[in-house]
Amino acid sequence: MEIMLSKILTQIHLQEDKISSTMMLTADEAYQMTLFLNEMLYIIKDKVLQNSFANEKQEIDFFKNIKPQILGKLIYYNKVFRIETSCPVSNGKIYKSYYGNLLKILKSEYKERICNEDFYRYYRAGRTDRDHKYFRLGQVNYHDGLKSGVFEIDLSFSTYYDNKKAYIIANELLYNYLLTKINLDENPDAILKNSESTNDVFWTNSKNALIELVYALYASGAISHGKIGIRKMSLMFQILFRVPLVDLHHAFHRMKTRTGSRTTFLDQLKISLEEYMDKEL
């Protein structure tokens, strides 16, 4: 079970990198990722229903860390597709107003439905003491006055709270995405659309490789003596290379838990530079 899940997660990360490297329109990228993630979730569900978890720890890890990440991104990409295909114009005041209104709605929903809940505070605090209640099958406590959504999910493949965490993840990703769309300084496409001199400048490696480079420069203090934040630094690279990095922190977390080298791209940079130096001798 564990090996199978690891392979599927690797497939998802590779697919995201593959789609982002094609420089497609956001709507097309979101649509393809929606189809792909939906298929992956169906495969995982089939495997989980056929094979029980080895132990409680594996079950908790799946419903706390694995499924919410996949479902959260599925919800996110589906929302992005709907947003992009409903946008009335491609620029101007109406364009900014459209995304601005969506951001207001998202903030309102966050205040009304998420931030005041006990589970959200539990999630944000990084607690683990109630994991056995939140992330195990058959542990739903209806005395907590749960929302009606609990009756609409498949409780053979959900603890209810894994869905809630998935929506939190989706909202966090969508919040960063909308911020990028409404701020010209944070929108690579809008800034570079009319700049012919930069049309041939684009990132041809994976998003994870770029994120690795950004964090390396941030950690070393190599830019502005380390006085600018990671978010602002990442925006500089988004603008330069026209690559949206909305999943910055989650991607970095995955890098920290990589097997083998955690700095794959930086290792390759060193090798490539040394090989280039040898050619110049």
Side-chain angles (χ1 to χ4, degrees):
M1 173 78 76
E2 192 171 346
I3 295 175
M4 180 273 295
L5 292 174
S6 178
K7 288 182 178 179
I8 289 178
L9 290 176
T10 300
Q11 280 184 271
I12 292 173
H13 299 155
L14 290 174
Q15 182 69 7
E16 281 192 296
D17 288 340
K18 178 182 176 182
I19 287 180
S20 67
S21 68
T22 63
M23 301 303 291
M24 293 184 300
L25 294 174
T26 304
D28 294 332
E29 177 179 326
Y31 177 71
Q32 290 198 30
M33 283 305 301
T34 299
L35 294 180
F36 176 77
L37 289 169
N38 188 52
E39 181 182 358
M40 290 296 101
L41 196 61
Y42 178 83
I43 292 173
I44 290 174
K45 179 179 179 179
D46 187 55
K47 296 294 183 183
V48 168
L49 294 179
Q50 288 183 19
N51 306 282
S52 59
F53 295 102
N55 49 52
E56 179 180 322
K57 181 181 178 181
Q58 188 183 74
E59 181 180 356
I60 290 174
D61 181 59
F62 175 76
F63 287 111
K64 181 179 182 179
N65 301 313
I66 298 175
K67 185 191 168 191
Q69 287 292 338
I70 300 171
L71 180 58
K73 286 192 173 183
L74 174 57
I75 296 169
Y76 163 70
Y77 280 112
N78 183 54
K79 286 186 176 182
V80 169
F81 176 72
R82 291 166 57 190
I83 287 170
E84 289 301 316
T85 53
S86 300
C87 186
V89 292
S90 59
N91 53 50
K93 291 183 179 180
I94 295 178
Y95 174 92
K96 292 192 69 174
S97 176
Y98 172 75
Y99 289 102
N101 288 333
L102 288 173
L103 186 60
K104 289 179 182 178
I105 294 172
L106 186 68
K107 288 180 178 179
S108 177
E109 290 179 348
Y110 163 77
K111 290 179 180 179
E112 293 177 9
R113 303 180 184 180
I114 297 178
C115 69
N116 292 323
E117 293 190 356
D118 290 338
F119 176 74
Y120 181 74
R121 289 190 286 271
Y122 178 90
Y123 162 75
R124 294 299 297 176
R127 290 166 53 189
T128 60
D129 53 290
R130 300 194 68 184
D131 282 0
H132 63 289
K133 293 183 178 180
Y134 286 144
F135 301 110
R136 292 200 67 200
L137 293 172
Q139 301 294 315
V140 177
N141 182 5
Y142 295 97
H143 281 110
D144 289 341
L146 305 177
K147 293 180 180 178
S148 58
V150 69
F151 305 110
E152 301 171 4
I153 61 178
D154 183 356
L155 292 178
S156 67
F157 186 60
S158 176
T159 68
Y160 174 67
Y161 288 98
D162 61 310
N163 280 40
K164 293 181 76 67
K165 182 174 177 179
Y167 274 95
I168 292 172
I169 291 171
N171 279 5
E172 289 174 347
L173 292 173
L174 193 60
Y175 177 78
N176 290 329
Y177 174 79
L178 292 175
L179 278 180
T180 302
K181 300 296 286 190
I182 64 176
N183 290 289
L184 288 177
D185 288 341
E186 299 176 4
N187 187 349
D189 289 333
I191 294 174
L192 299 176
K193 184 178 291 183
N194 298 318
S195 180
E196 295 181 0
S197 62
T198 58
N199 283 340
D200 60 343
V201 178
F202 52 93
W203 186 256
T204 54
N205 211 308
S206 69
K207 282 185 181 180
N208 281 341
L210 182 57
I211 292 172
E212 191 177 316
L213 177 61
V214 170
Y215 267 96
L217 292 171
Y218 172 73
S220 66
I223 298 178
S224 299
H225 302 291
K227 293 182 179 179
I228 64 173
I230 187 67
R231 184 169 176 270
K232 185 173 181 180
M233 188 178 294
S234 73
L235 291 173
M236 292 164 49
F237 283 88
Q238 291 183 67
I239 292 169
L240 176 61
F241 296 122
R242 290 176 286 189
V243 178
L245 300 175
V246 295
D247 198 18
L248 190 73
H249 297 295
H250 286 110
F252 181 64
H253 177 73
R254 292 195 297 269
M255 290 176 194
K256 292 195 295 182
T257 56
R258 281 176 179 168
T259 56
S261 175
R262 297 189 295 176
T263 55
T264 307
F265 180 61
L266 296 179
D267 295 343
Q268 185 57 52
L269 280 183
K270 181 176 182 294
I271 294 171
S272 298
L273 179 57
E274 289 178 341
E275 290 178 349
Y276 183 77
M277 287 176 172
D278 292 339
K279 291 178 182 178
E280 294 295 305
L281 293 176

